[in-house]
């Protein structure tokens, strides 16, 4: 019964592909294992670029190395962890979450998990909370600091080699960081506005198509930027040069070569490279990619349960 249902779901998903979306024949999907004793769901949020991954399961930090899962738990005194990113050395960026005095609003402390342990990032004077959003291969971290999340947050930067001494970014308070590139370029979104790049004190706005006034940055990698607009998602190869991602694809991640993943309605996982068609990835139900490894693999989520079922797609 279960096998029949999964096959039917996959058949329906392929039948609902949007125009211009090709069906993949050279990709395969496999499941990433989860720690025993949990709910059987999790989420992949980072990769070292070589086929190892990181994420969460049951509120705990997990990593997948060579297809084997490791459960790293939750730092003492915290309720859960939110994983955010990973770099080539396997350093995982995240935030430990707790709810002080029964509050409904979370407090957070950014960390990197490396050398087998949680290492908390230094706090900015005057701010009690921190949240990590992105890291690069040299170990720079970008994120936000705040006191009460209901009153907004401020962009902050933790330089490689000195995570104990963060600095506030000299950007307008309406800008929120999303990701950081290998050369230190920081991707930021403006509240109710556009998307910006910051590097060495210089702030530049992504040039949008004629008539478009708003965008939302998604990811930056090796000078390429993914962002969504009211007219669809786009890929920038320079701050003033972009192209539409075809096929009505909702994008979520890219790698250094420009390989992009995401989904098309109604939740068919997809992959796209500039100059080619949007291609549907095989799945046994609704799914979407969340990270793209530099070796060409894509990891993501097969929908189901609280988080979903972590999976990986490989070509060939």
């Amino acid at each position: 019964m279960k096998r029949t249902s999964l096959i039917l779901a996959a058949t329906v998903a392929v039948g609902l592909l949007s125009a211009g979306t090709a069906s993949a024949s050279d990709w395969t999907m496999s499941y990433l294992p989860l720690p025993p004793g949990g709910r059987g769901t999790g989420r992949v949020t980072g990769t070292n670029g070589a086929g190892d991954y990181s994420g969460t399961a049951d509120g705990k930090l997990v990593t997948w190395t060579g297809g084997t899962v490791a459960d790293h738990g939750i730092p003492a005194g915290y309720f859960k962890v939110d994983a955010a990113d990973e770099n080539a050395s396997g350093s995982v960026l995240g935030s430990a979450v707790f709810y002080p005095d029964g509050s409904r609003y979370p407090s957070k402390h950014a960390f990197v998990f490396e050398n087998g342990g949680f290492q908390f990032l230094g706090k900015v004077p005057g701010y009690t909370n921190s949240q990590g959003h992105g890291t690069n291969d040299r170990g720079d971290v970008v994120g936000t600091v705040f006191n009460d999340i209901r009153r907004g947050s401020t962009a902050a930067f933790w330089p490689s080699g000195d995570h104990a001494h963060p600095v506030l970014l000299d950007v307008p308070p309406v800008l929120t960081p999303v990701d950081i590139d290998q050369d230190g370029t920081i991707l930021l979104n403006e509240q109710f506005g556009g998307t910006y790049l910051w590097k060495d004190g210089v702030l530049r706005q992504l040039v949008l198509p004629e008539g478009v006034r708003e965008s939302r940055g998604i990811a930056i990698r090796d000078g390429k930027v993914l962002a969504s607009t009211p007219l669809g998602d786009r890929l920038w190869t320079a701050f003033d040069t972009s192209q539409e991602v075809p096929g009505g694809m909702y994008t979520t991640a890219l790698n250094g070569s420009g390989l992009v993943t995401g989904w098309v309605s109604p939740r068919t996982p997809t992959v796209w490279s500039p100059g080619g068609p949007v291609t549907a990835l095989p799945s046994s139900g609704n799914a979407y990619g969340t990270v793209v490894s530099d070796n060409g693999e894509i990891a993501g989520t097969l929908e189901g349960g609280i988080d979903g079922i972590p999976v990986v797609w490989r070509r060939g």
Side-chain angles (χ1 to χ4, degrees), residues 259-281:
L259 187 67
V260 174
T261 191
W263 55 279
V264 297
S265 182
R267 271 296 201 275
T268 299
T270 50
V271 61
W272 173 74
S273 290
V278 171
T279 300
L281 297 169

Side-chain angles (χ1 to χ4, degrees), residues 2 31-44 56-60 62 64 69 71 300-311:
K2 183 177 180 182
Y31 294 89
L32 289 172
L34 288 165
R39 293 187 297 258
T41 59
R43 179 172 174 80
V44 181
T56 55
D58 301 310
K60 303 174 183 179
V62 295
W64 291 271
V69 66
D71 182 349
T301 298
L302 181 65
E303 290 186 344
I306 293 177
D307 290 318
I309 302 168
V311 295

Side-chain angles (χ1 to χ4, degrees), residues 184-264:
T185 300
I186 296 172
L187 178 67
L188 306 106
N189 284 329
E190 180 184 17
Q191 186 179 19
F192 309 118
T195 300
Y196 289 78
L197 303 176
W198 181 96
K199 187 174 189 295
D200 298 332
V202 177
L203 190 66
R204 295 183 297 180
Q205 184 177 5
L206 292 184
V207 176
L208 298 174
E210 186 68 27
V212 176
R213 297 291 179 265
E214 187 174 353
S215 60
R216 280 287 157 282
I218 297 167
I220 184 171
R221 188 62 188 264
D222 291 346
K224 305 172 188 67
V225 176
L226 272 181
S228 63
T229 79
L231 297 182
D233 290 6
R234 303 184 70 87
L235 176 68
W236 276 258
T237 52
F239 82 97
D240 58 353
T241 305
S242 68
Q243 60 182 297
E244 179 184 5
V245 179
M249 179 177 174
Y250 297 89
T251 63
T252 54
L254 79 163
N255 68 6
S257 66
L259 187 67
V260 174
T261 191
W263 55 279
V264 297

Side-chain angles (χ1 to χ4, degrees), residues 19-306:
T21 304
S23 182
S25 59
D26 59 345
W27 289 83
T28 59
M29 186 194 80
S30 59
Y31 294 89
L32 289 172
L34 288 165
R39 293 187 297 258
T41 59
R43 179 172 174 80
V44 181
T45 57
T47 177
N48 68 350
D52 295 333
Y53 301 97
S54 56
T56 55
D58 301 310
K60 303 174 183 179
L61 180 69
V62 295
T63 56
W64 291 271
T65 303
T68 301
V69 66
D71 182 349
H72 305 291
I74 304 168
Y78 290 87
F79 175 71
K80 68 172 184 175
V81 300
D82 291 332
D85 202 1
E86 183 178 357
N87 65 18
S89 67
S91 176
V92 180
L93 174 66
S95 303
V97 181
F98 70 101
Y99 293 85
D101 302 322
S103 172
R104 296 169 47 201
Y105 302 98
S107 292
K108 298 185 178 185
H109 196 170
F111 66 80
V112 291
F113 182 87
E114 53 190 13
N115 301 319
F118 292 93
Q119 301 179 24
F120 286 102
L121 305 185
K123 292 186 176 181
V124 174
Y127 294 88
T128 57
N129 294 282
S130 58
Q131 181 172 1
H133 293 298
T135 186
N136 59 18
D137 286 349
R138 66 189 188 191
D140 298 324
V141 171
V142 69
T144 53
V145 294
F146 59 95
N147 289 315
D148 186 331
I149 194 61
R150 293 170 293 178
R151 294 178 171 83
S153 59
T154 302
F157 174 75
W158 289 260
S160 171
D162 191 8
H163 287 166
H165 298 95
V167 296
L168 298 180
L169 284 182
D170 56 339
V171 297
V174 293
L175 295 184
T176 301
V178 178
D179 199 3
I180 185 169
D181 207 352
Q182 309 293 23
D183 65 352
T185 300
I186 296 172
L187 178 67
L188 306 106
N189 284 329
E190 180 184 17
Q191 186 179 19
F192 309 118
T195 300
Y196 289 78
L197 303 176
W198 181 96
K199 187 174 189 295
D200 298 332
V202 177
L203 190 66
R204 295 183 297 180
Q205 184 177 5
L206 292 184
V207 176
L208 298 174
E210 186 68 27
V212 176
R213 297 291 179 265
E214 187 174 353
S215 60
R216 280 287 157 282
I218 297 167
I220 184 171
R221 188 62 188 264
D222 291 346
K224 305 172 188 67
V225 176
L226 272 181
S228 63
T229 79
L231 297 182
D233 290 6
R234 303 184 70 87
L235 176 68
W236 276 258
T237 52
F239 82 97
D240 58 353
T241 305
S242 68
Q243 60 182 297
E244 179 184 5
V245 179
M249 179 177 174
Y250 297 89
T251 63
T252 54
L254 79 163
N255 68 6
S257 66
L259 187 67
V260 174
T261 191
W263 55 279
V264 297
S265 182
R267 271 296 201 275
T268 299
T270 50
V271 61
W272 173 74
S273 290
V278 171
T279 300
L281 297 169
S283 68
S284 54
N286 290 349
Y288 52 91
T290 55
V291 298
V292 186
S293 186
D294 284 333
N295 69 355
E297 292 182 2
I298 295 171
T301 298
L302 181 65
E303 290 186 344
I306 293 177

